[in-house]
């Protein structure tokens, strides 16, 4: 495997989606990469990899879904798996067993702050439109805003408290890891999807370190430059969607 | 970290649950381990780790939920993360970049064949009873049995086809990995939860390698002995639940 090859991100154009977790890692590290979201024929590359006839090749088994990362002769999929691969290469994973703690924190953020928000607008079936499951979405979103989201924010506040007490704003260890980037993107997506609920939770003052970490990551020079660039795509019909009826009542 | 310390699995008693994915890896390897599911005061150990006041300690951050693995001075959580840690130590992960392919396959099986089945009986809110979301569960289960489950089985059949053509029954490489064990447990749980739907899908003959792999893992000497032992707990009110109204109609 050629470790000096540029990284190739293969993901749908038009939404940040799950590809964004990979982009933020590559951007923070200043890595050289290509992105099918900005390439002509990019969609075709995604489609050919998830085609029902593609059985994989020497680069790897077929991916179930994007994001997919190609690096030299290797092709891998699954968001947390790609981050696991990139982390040590991009200086975003601590050495030793801390790598498992970072992986665990990223998995928990992806579960509770990305997959669960997705299910608030698709609680019944991913193959149906939102419009076909609005009433169920309202029930699920209420549960999410009232129970699950505060539970996950409390959890991360608990993870951060002893860190901050030692002068570290990060979820783990003494430098930024990819878990911090995942966490940032989740909170950013939640602010888009549920602006009233997130604002209410922030105003309780119960999660000061959670919202501080969000700002700290947002202000990283390379992240800031990325967010201001046209490489950063707008939220729309992806994981994080803004339907006012799913947010707190005004 | 003492790599000769016995493994300590910390999980709820009474159901196979997500702990089962860890148990199968330990059992297949013939590893020495303890399991709070069979220890007096086991529940208390789980509760103390997920207590809202526990902020972690030098062994690691607080876990969001069990399963948790302790090994010497290290404590980690998240099912796929624990398997990632155990795999190389138990001889269940190939060396080199194949580790990322195995991780990806395990993540995909856990997503589509474990997390999604769980949501068929809790589509609206995990904190509510099934009885409070029966109608929504029926809709979601129908979508799962009709669309998602066949899609995931097709995917794994596609992964297996080139493997089997080379005389390998496994999802990746030329020996059993933890991805095969995860896959076995998922299919076993699905057979419990949706006996009619799984039987229908098996009878289509479209997934021969999927069901062959299930039998191959089940017949591994240590797995067979484990399944016949009283260490194997019965399915009940866990991830995989059998509600006849959520299965195919008779």
């Amino acid at each position: 495997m050629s470790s000096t090859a540029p990284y190739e991100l293969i993901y749908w154009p038009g939404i940040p989606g799950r590809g964004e977790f990979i982009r933020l890692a590559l951007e923070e590290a200043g890595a050289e990469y290509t992105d099918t979201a900005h390439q002509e024929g990019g969609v075709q590359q995604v489609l050919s990899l998830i085609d029902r006839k593609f059985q994989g090749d020497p680069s790897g088994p077929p991916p179930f879904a994007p994001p997919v990362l190609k690096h030299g002769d290797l092709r891998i999929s699954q968001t947390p798996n790609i981050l696991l691969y990139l982390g040590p290469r991009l200086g975003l994973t601590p050495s030793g067993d801390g790598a498992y703690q970072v992986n665990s924190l990223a998995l928990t953020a992806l579960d509770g702050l990305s997959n669960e928000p997705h299910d608030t607008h698709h609680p019944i079936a991913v193959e149906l439109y939102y419009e076909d499951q609005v009433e169920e979405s309202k029930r699920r979103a209420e549960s999410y805003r009232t129970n699950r989201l505060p539970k996950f924010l409390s959890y991360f506040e608990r993870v951060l408290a002893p860190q901050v007490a030692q002068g570290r704003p990060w979820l783990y260890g003494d430098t930024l890891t990819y878990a911090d980037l995942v966490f940032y993107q989740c909170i950013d997506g939640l602010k888009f999807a549920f602006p009233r609920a997130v604002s209410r939770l922030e105003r309780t003052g119960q999660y000061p370190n959670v919202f501080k970490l969000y700002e700290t990551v947002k202000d990283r020079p390379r992240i800031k430059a990325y967010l201001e660039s046209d490489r950063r795509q707008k939220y729309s019909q992806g994981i994080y969607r803004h339907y006012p009826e799913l947010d707190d009542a005004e």
Side-chain angles (χ1 to χ4, degrees), chain A:
Chain A
M1 199 208 69
S2 161
S3 62
T4 58
Y7 298 103
E8 301 174 52
L9 174 61
I10 299 164
Y11 195 71
W12 306 113
I15 50 165
R18 294 197 170 85
E20 202 62 12
F21 300 109
I22 315 302
R23 288 186 192 103
L24 288 174
L26 293 162
E27 294 281 348
E28 167 64 26
E32 214 182 305
Y33 74 102
T34 60
D35 185 342
T36 56
H38 304 297
Q39 292 171 330
E40 210 168 320
V43 170
Q44 212 42 56
Q45 276 199 64
V46 177
L47 290 173
S48 68
L49 287 175
I50 59 171
D51 189 280
R52 280 171 171 258
K53 293 206 181 98
F54 182 56
Q55 299 189 334
D57 57 30
S59 294
F64 181 77
V68 171
L69 182 80
K70 282 176 74 174
H71 189 213
D73 294 334
L74 184 71
R75 185 191 57 241
I76 56 175
S77 64
Q78 278 280 1
T79 306
N81 186 50
I82 295 172
L83 292 168
L84 189 79
Y85 175 83
L86 288 175
R89 288 164 177 82
L90 301 180
L92 298 171
T93 301
S95 58
D97 288 335
Y100 295 100
Q101 306 298 5
V102 168
N103 186 42
S104 174
L105 291 162
L107 285 163
T108 302
L110 290 168
D111 278 353
L113 304 174
S114 176
N115 296 336
E116 292 198 20
H118 172 272
D119 286 359
T120 61
H121 53 76
H122 277 78
I124 297 300
V126 291
E127 71 275 8
L128 292 179
Y129 290 110
Y130 166 66
E131 288 68 23
D132 296 322
Q133 45 196 317
V134 175
E135 292 310 311
E136 293 92 341
S137 294
K138 286 182 187 167
R139 279 190 80 191
R140 173 123 188 183
E142 188 189 352
S143 156
Y144 185 71
R145 289 182 280 106
T146 311
N147 294 300
R148 300 296 284 175
L149 179 53
K151 184 170 175 161
F152 278 97
L153 294 186
S154 296
Y155 170 73
F156 283 106
E157 188 66 27
R158 218 155 21 97
V159 169
L160 284 165
Q163 285 283 100
V164 171
Q166 292 178 77
R168 304 163 165 178
W170 318 115
L171 287 170
Y172 185 82
D174 50 17
T175 56
L176 174 140
T177 69
Y178 69 79
D180 299 306
L181 299 172
V182 167
F183 187 73
Y184 162 79
Q185 174 57 22
C186 289
I187 299 293
D188 197 64
L190 288 163
K191 279 172 173 272
F192 170 79
F194 304 107
R196 292 196 291 258
V198 172
S199 169
R200 165 179 53 83
L201 290 165
E202 189 167 3
R203 280 182 278 112
T204 65
Q206 289 178 48
Y207 319 101
N209 298 312
V210 154
F211 290 102
K212 183 76 196 316
L213 176 57
Y214 170 79
E215 297 295 338
T216 302
V217 172
K218 195 177 182 177
D219 285 343
R220 300 280 288 186
R222 283 175 174 152
I223 296 297
K224 198 172 153 70
Y226 167 68
L227 295 175
E228 289 164 2
S229 76
D230 56 12
R231 298 193 299 288
R232 172 76 165 187
Q233 294 165 91
K234 287 192 170 31
Y235 294 108
S236 58
Q237 297 294 298
I239 302 169
Y240 299 106
R241 303 189 186 182
H242 179 56
Y243 295 115
E245 66 273 23
L246 300 188
D247 196 0
D248 281 6
E250 265 186 289

